[in-house]
């Protein structure tokens, strides 16, 4: 049997619960290799399809969310190896196919591919020990899983250039001030806080949550008017759901909504 490079469990109560996925190469600071990314992708796709799951949390160890792609696996590649084989593009962007919200719960190092993986998630809740960086420049490469594109959108051009060109790390307070991280929590409370945010999401209407995620991603990925047009179409389409009727009726009747997930 192959080694479990990610551990999956289901947490919480109620009709829709949270999938907690833990990256599991702690001795290598969760350096991300091909096998781990395959297992992570398979877990994400399976949980995305499962009706009883409303939200997914990805975490690492106390010392490292992930210290990057596995340098030992990359060290000997030639240009033709990475270009011709389209180096690990296959399993790095599976996260982008997931329609349910994915929260990164980051403790310790989130560097290189680890920072990019966290940025591929929908938002980042970080322990007060978290450190973020794109140090690839220090080993003669550049970020390769979207870091040069997503970091400037998250923290602005000046800070992204500083990070990418010097390879320095930012601590969690700088990361939060810059907009990379949504919340900072004491390390011991990281998983509880992430699961609590996930439970809030699980209790909501799954269709409207998935479509809200698609709209925010559209703002992140494209131009402003393109995004506003996309949002308008999605907004109109939500009036075809039972949950919109229920949510608004409940508000007007001053009672909690009973969402039917359709
Ligand atoms: N790869 C492989 N092993 C790693 C690693 C990594 N990225 N990071 C740490 N390790 C291993 C160390 O080699 C060490 O192994 P042993 O010597 O015990 O066998 C063990 O983890 C513990 O690490 P340290 O002894 O170094 O621990 P320290 O506390 O002293 O230092 C550190 C922690 C995080 C500062 C240090 O380990 C470090 O600088 N690590 C490398 C960080 C880094 O440069 N990361 C960027 C890697 S490049 C792409 C997708 C992704 C990528 C590219 C393309 N496509 C989709 C095309 C991504 C590229 C990268 O991430």
């Amino acid at each position: 049997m192959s080694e479990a490079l990610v551990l999956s469990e289901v947490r919480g109560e109620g009709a829709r619960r949270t999938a907690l996925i833990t990256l599991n190469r702690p001795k290598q600071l969760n350096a991300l290799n091909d096998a781990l990314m395959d297992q992570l992708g398979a877990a994400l796709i399976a949980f995305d399809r499962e009706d009883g799951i409303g939200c997914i949390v990805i975490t690492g160890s106390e010392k490292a969310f992930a210290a990057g792609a596995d340098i030992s696996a990359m060290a000997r590649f030639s240009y033709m190896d990475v270009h011709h084989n389209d180096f690990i593009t296959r399993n790095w962007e599976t996260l982008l196919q997931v329609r349910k919200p994915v929260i990164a719960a980051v403790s310790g190092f989130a560097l290189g591919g680890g920072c990019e993986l966290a940025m591929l998630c929908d938002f980042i809740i970080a322990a007060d020990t978290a450190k973020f960086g794109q140090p690839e420049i220090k080993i003669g490469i550049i970020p390769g899983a979207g870091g040069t594109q997503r970091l400037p959108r998250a923290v602005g051009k000046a800070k992204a250039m500083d990070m990418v060109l010097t390879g320095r790390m930012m601590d969690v307070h700088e990361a939060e001030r810059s907009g990379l991280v949504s919340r900072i929590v004491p390390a011991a409370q990281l998983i509880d806080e992430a699961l609590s945010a996930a439970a809030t999401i699980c209790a909501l209407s799954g269709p409207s949550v998935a479509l809200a995620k698609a709209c925010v991603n559209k703002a992140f990925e494209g131009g402003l008017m393109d995004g506003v047009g996309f949002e308008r179409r999605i907004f109109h389409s939500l009036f075809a759901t039972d949950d919109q009727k229920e949510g608004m009726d409940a508000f007007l009747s001053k009672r909690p909504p009973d969402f039917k997930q359709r």
Side-chain angles (χ1 to χ4, degrees):
M1 224 173 78
S2 59
E3 204 184 346
L5 301 173
V6 305
L7 305 174
S8 296
E9 54 193 300
V10 175
R11 297 283 198 94
E13 284 159 14
R16 292 173 357 115
R17 301 193 289 157
T18 299
L20 175 62
I21 301 177
T22 305
L23 309 177
N24 187 38
R25 292 186 81 205
K27 288 194 186 119
Q28 294 84 13
L29 306 187
N30 290 326
L32 304 166
N33 64 18
D34 207 27
L36 187 151
M37 294 310 288
D38 270 345
Q39 291 183 23
L40 176 62
L44 286 166
I45 293 297
F47 284 130
D48 200 35
R49 284 198 191 123
E50 206 174 308
D51 283 343
I53 298 296
C55 189
I56 300 169
V57 174
I58 301 179
T59 196
S61 68
E62 206 179 312
K63 182 166 177 188
F65 177 73
D70 192 327
I71 300 169
S72 62
M74 287 187 290
R76 286 172 206 278
F77 284 157
S78 68
Y79 171 75
M80 283 316 293
D81 291 329
V82 293
H83 177 72
H84 190 65
N85 299 325
D86 200 10
F87 173 51
I88 53 174
T89 296
R90 177 180 62 78
N91 57 10
W92 267 82
E93 289 182 338
T94 309
L95 244 170
L96 297 178
Q97 298 167 31
V98 177
R99 297 175 76 195
K100 290 173 185 167
V102 183
I103 302 171
V106 173
S107 177
F109 298 111
L111 303 178
C115 186
E116 290 169 309
L117 178 64
M119 288 192 289
L120 280 163
C121 297
D122 297 313
F123 62 98
I124 302 174
I125 297 181
D128 47 14
T129 57
K131 288 191 169 66
F132 297 85
Q134 297 289 164
E136 291 90 340
I137 205 84
K138 293 184 180 174
I139 55 168
I141 54 171
I142 65 166
T148 63
Q149 305 305 300
R150 290 190 183 90
L151 191 62
R153 282 171 164 81
V155 305
K157 178 185 166 188
K159 204 165 281 284
M161 281 288 192
D162 179 0
M163 305 293 298
V164 169
L165 298 184
T166 68
R168 76 171 175 90
M169 293 184 213
M170 58 163 98
D171 69 18
V172 74
H173 300 288
E174 186 179 2
E176 198 259 352
R177 275 198 312 276
S178 326
L180 182 60
V181 155
S182 72
R183 317 180 188 181
I184 304 174
V185 297
Q189 289 163 29
L190 176 66
I191 298 300
D192 284 349
E193 183 80 11
L195 289 174
S196 158
T200 301
I201 292 169
C202 285
L204 300 170
S205 164
S208 60
V209 163
L211 292 170
K213 165 174 167 159
C215 283
V216 176
N217 277 334
K218 195 76 180 171
F220 197 65
E221 288 158 7
L224 178 63
M225 292 321 290
D226 188 29
V228 171
F230 182 77
E231 178 196 76
R232 196 64 35 86
R233 288 195 300 282
I234 296 291
F235 178 80
H236 288 162
S237 75
L238 279 165
F239 284 74
T241 65
D242 292 344
D243 285 347
Q244 174 268 328
K245 302 284 173 302
E246 170 60 15
M248 294 190 182
D249 283 351
F251 174 80
L252 294 173
S253 314
K254 301 191 187 303
R255 61 172 173 81
D258 178 16
F259 290 126
K260 298 291 187 238
Q261 311 303 328
R262 58 175 183 261

